[in-house]
Amino acid sequence: MAKQPQPISPFKNFFAGGFGGVCLVFVGHPLDTIKVRLQTQPKPQPGQPPLYSGTFDCFRKTLVGEGVRGLYRGMAAPIIGVTPMFAVCFFGFGLGKRLQQRKPDDALTYPQLFAAGMLSGVFTTVIMAPGERIKCLLQIQAATGETKYSGSLDCARQLYREAGIRGVYKGTVLTLMRDVPASGMYFMTYEWLKNILTPEGKSVSDLSVPRILFAGGLAGIFNWAVAIPPDVLKSRFQTAPPGKYPNGFRDVLRELIREEGVASLYKGFTAVMIRAFPANAACFLGFEVAMKFLNWIAPGL
């Protein structure tokens, strides 16, 4: 059983989660750029080497060709979207926990925590899908040498002009397929690790910073272990020319397996896993710090 240190406040989760999300993007965006470029690089011509031979080659070429700014391309979209997205994500998790409690001090089982995490994934998709679409398009355009979009707002305007709201939300189903089970794993793992890392006789609210960082980082790895295959499909689908995949993710899946094998569903695995630990460690540390501050200034909220 997971111990709940105090009554759950979805509203405090909302504000603390937004701060945690900003911490995550700042730490993790460079490797997210590498991940997307690896996932969407074109298939090489016969006899030609691939554009990037792996994670470190992609990192080196991006840094040499575009400087540090190249690693942070497209960050405006997730920064603008990440505060409300993670706020809603942690709010959804808090609400999911609250809905399953009969009394404010009821402890939740790990399956209940997983279900609460899945609810958070549903909540975030509405905000996440357009931000992911814009981010992916901006991340790959520098690698291809094109300059179709001058920035996040210009990208959003052009997508809306070309295909309406459907163009902005392209890939929503795949975002949902990625985030619902992955979010369940994410939050359940974090709560589980917090419990086992808490010394006997102590409260989880008194967990040390290194232990919070470890629990958050490992939760991020478990999250992405579940999320990578649908994330690869999502990145391909969201950056494909209009009409390329008329049957949606099924066409993307068939093409990837036919041309590159099942291993292609784990493209960007190294970049994702290198990013997952520090980014999510920063996210949960930011969340816990913000939550303590909110409990201090507004204990009754």
Side-chain angles (χ1 to χ4, degrees):
M1 298 286 285
K3 298 177 182 177
Q4 303 298 331
Q6 58 187 32
I8 297 160
S9 170
F11 294 103
K12 287 180 182 176
N13 274 30
F14 180 87
F15 293 110
F19 181 71
V22 172
C23 295
L24 179 143
V25 171
F26 185 77
V27 172
H29 191 80
L31 279 160
D32 186 71
T33 298
I34 302 303
K35 177 205 71 173
V36 170
R37 290 187 176 185
L38 286 170
Q39 289 176 345
T40 58
Q41 66 175 317
K43 185 180 178 182
Q45 296 297 319
Q48 296 294 317
L51 182 60
Y52 307 116
S53 62
T55 299
F56 297 104
D57 182 55
C58 184
F59 180 86
R60 182 183 61 80
K61 287 180 177 176
T62 301
L63 198 60
V64 170
E66 304 167 52
V68 174
R69 291 184 63 182
L71 296 170
Y72 281 91
R73 288 197 185 277
M75 194 175 75
I79 280 290
I80 292 169
V82 81
T83 301
M85 183 195 72
F86 269 82
V88 168
C89 176
F90 278 83
F91 172 83
F93 180 57
L95 181 63
K97 290 195 290 183
R98 173 75 75 82
L99 290 173
Q100 295 180 90
Q101 286 183 313
R102 293 183 179 180
K103 295 181 294 183
D105 58 347
D106 277 350
L108 298 179
T109 63
Y110 293 116
Q112 286 176 313
L113 291 169
F114 186 84
M118 288 198 297
L119 180 64
S120 78
V122 175
F123 272 55
T124 56
T125 296
V126 174
I127 301 172
M128 190 84 163
E132 287 275 301
R133 168 100 154 114
I134 292 165
K135 171 182 70 70
C136 288
L137 288 170
L138 290 173
Q139 284 173 328
I140 67 165
Q141 80 165 359
T144 61
E146 300 176 0
T147 313
K148 183 177 180 181
Y149 310 111
S150 61
S152 298
L153 291 177
D154 180 54
C155 182
R157 279 194 296 265
Q158 290 195 46
L159 290 173
Y160 185 79
R161 189 164 58 242
E162 291 167 2
I165 197 68
R166 287 171 63 92
V168 177
Y169 273 88
K170 182 179 179 180
T172 298
V173 172
L174 280 163
T175 305
L176 198 64
M177 289 171 60
R178 181 193 69 177
D179 288 349
V180 170
S183 294
M185 180 63 73
Y186 186 53
F187 285 108
M188 183 189 72
T189 302
Y190 180 64
E191 296 289 341
W192 168 64
L193 287 168
K194 280 206 304 180
N195 284 333
I196 66 173
L197 290 170
T198 300
E200 190 70 32
K202 298 284 187 178
S203 168
V204 291
S205 61
D206 298 323
L207 210 59
S208 65
V209 168
R211 293 186 182 200
I212 291 172
L213 289 171
F214 179 76
L218 210 55
I221 287 175
F222 274 78
N223 169 82
W224 278 104
V226 174
I228 287 177
D231 186 64
V232 172
L233 298 177
K234 180 197 69 66
S235 294
R236 283 290 183 108
F237 184 68
Q238 287 186 320
T239 57
K244 182 175 180 181
Y245 300 116
N247 296 311
F249 74 90
R250 289 172 295 175
D251 285 350
V252 187
L253 180 62
R254 278 194 291 264
E255 179 187 84
L256 273 173
I257 292 178
R258 183 180 65 249
E259 296 185 358
E260 303 178 48
V262 176
S264 63
L265 293 173
Y266 286 88
K267 277 192 170 184
F269 180 85
T270 303
V272 167
M273 289 306 173
I274 292 173
R275 170 186 178 267
F277 193 95
N280 289 283
C283 175
F284 276 110
L285 180 61
F287 170 78
E288 296 289 357
V289 168
M291 185 63 81
K292 284 189 176 183
F293 177 73
L294 289 169
N295 286 334
W296 177 62
I297 63 169
L301 181 62

